Amino acid sequence: MCLRGKLEWLGFCERREECQLRVDPRAGLGSAVRVDPRDVIRVKRDGGRLSPELIDDFLTGYVEGRVEDYHASALLMAIFCYGLDDAELWAWTRSMLESGTRFDWSHMDGPMVDKHSTGGVGDKVSIPLAPALVACGAKVPMISGRGLGHTGGTLDKLEAVPGLVTELQIEQIRSQLADVGMFIAAQTPDLVPADRKLYALRDAAGLVEAIPLISSSIMSKKLAEGLDALVLDVKFGSGAFLPDIDKGLQLASRMSDLAKGFGLPMTVVLSSMEQPLGRMVGHANEINESLDCLRGGGPKDLVDLTIRQGGEALLACGLADNLESGEARMRTSFQDGSAMEVFERFLKAQGGQGDLTADLPTAPGEAHFLAPESGFLACVDYREVGVALQGLGGARVEIGGGLDHGVGLEILARHGDKVERGQPLVRITHRDKRGLEGCLEHLALAYHVLSEAPDPVGETRTLG
Ligand code: URA
């Protein structure tokens, strides 16, 4: 078959408006016909539309090693520039999903629920949320990630607990879900291997922030978890991984379309990261604040968002008749100690040592960032707060690098507060002053004091 014929047979077309599939009915995905990856790149590079067969051939080839990193980065860049339409995005996500195994929990009781956050500074909701959902009768098979850009990752936060491991074998994942009702673990090697490879490449090539690539990356992993319901927390505001609310809404819309297409009930909560959730930023700090929440206390914004997401999850998976009763069950699980009991069992199952319900120690050094003048605190750039933590050693600067779980920031004043010159705005815990100067410089960029009270910042909303 000539190249043109082969490409037509596989559904190749040069122009978007001319696109139609011409697929031999005998050819399924994984057909033996192989396309030169450069021809796939050319389609997208020239603004064309990729057929499901071309996408599958390319992604299968990438996982198998037939398609090289340089091919994949060229295609990703073309997708970055031209995007993927709905049919392409669905096919891309399906091929990612089918690149590995999918969990099957059909032999287990209890609906499987999870939540995913698009990431923000000080976002620790998953930590109190997951055990509370288990205490309310759900099971939570949570595959989670590490810090991304200036935002922290749940796995890094949990690893502040001495002994705790997040790289679990599939046998442990299975038995822990049955015995404890939850796990929070890193992506296993056979779960969406296409995403493992592509994500590392996107990170290295500066190609993370593309809506179709983010949507397919997250949804392929969540679909592989074998869920009955998912809550998606789309963050916006300066502390969010995607600060622009319009981008957040676009992401929510594309992920909702994917969830519908794959038959996964999903609720979207849109929440503001104009300020960190609660007061704590940094790994041990955030575990300690999550423990406060699990003890029935904790800062109101963190507790309210956790309860909202839990209520939505219980409603979506049929464990609550309406949002109010779902929220009430979540609140009770914090107050009667049942969520804390699950949390302790979960930490123990994953290797946590010592008194697992006691606060973790933080780095010994203490310093403060002071208000530069009197007035009202406003326009706090929480991206800079995340970068300030990174400066102390609290976030990775390279893939696989180390981080200090004990350093952190405690936010002592919030947007709109009246402050006096010299008043402490942030309490810093550091180790031997490492990175302290840079941290203070970033905090100085983050904080602005105005003479008049500013408008309030964004609120949390649920999208249907
Ligand atoms: N998180 C993911 O899992 N994938 C992305 O692409 C971005 C954030």
Side-chain angles (χ1 to χ4, degrees), residues 116 118 148 195 199 202 208 213-215 217-218 221 241:
H116 181 86
T118 56
L148 200 58
D195 179 65
Y199 191 80
R202 285 167 58 207
V208 171
L213 298 177
I214 298 176
S215 321
S217 162
I218 296 172
K221 284 176 289 200
F241 173 66

Side-chain angles (χ1 to χ4, degrees), residues 393-459:
R396 283 190 186 80
V397 283
E398 58 191 25
I399 297 175
L403 52 78
D404 187 335
H405 292 102
V407 297
L409 307 169
E410 181 179 359
I411 310 298
L412 302 173
R414 298 174 73 79
H415 179 90
D417 285 357
K418 195 163 186 311
V419 296
E420 296 298 326
R421 183 185 156 89
Q423 174 183 333
L425 299 183
V426 182
R427 180 175 156 268
I428 303 166
T429 42
H430 59 82
R431 207 169 296 277
D432 302 326
K433 297 201 169 128
R434 189 179 145 219
L436 182 58
E437 209 176 307
C439 168
L440 289 165
E441 280 168 16
H442 282 289
L443 291 175
L445 291 174
Y447 281 84
H448 301 270
V449 179
L450 304 182
S451 54
E452 289 185 11
D455 290 336
V457 288
E459 306 269 317

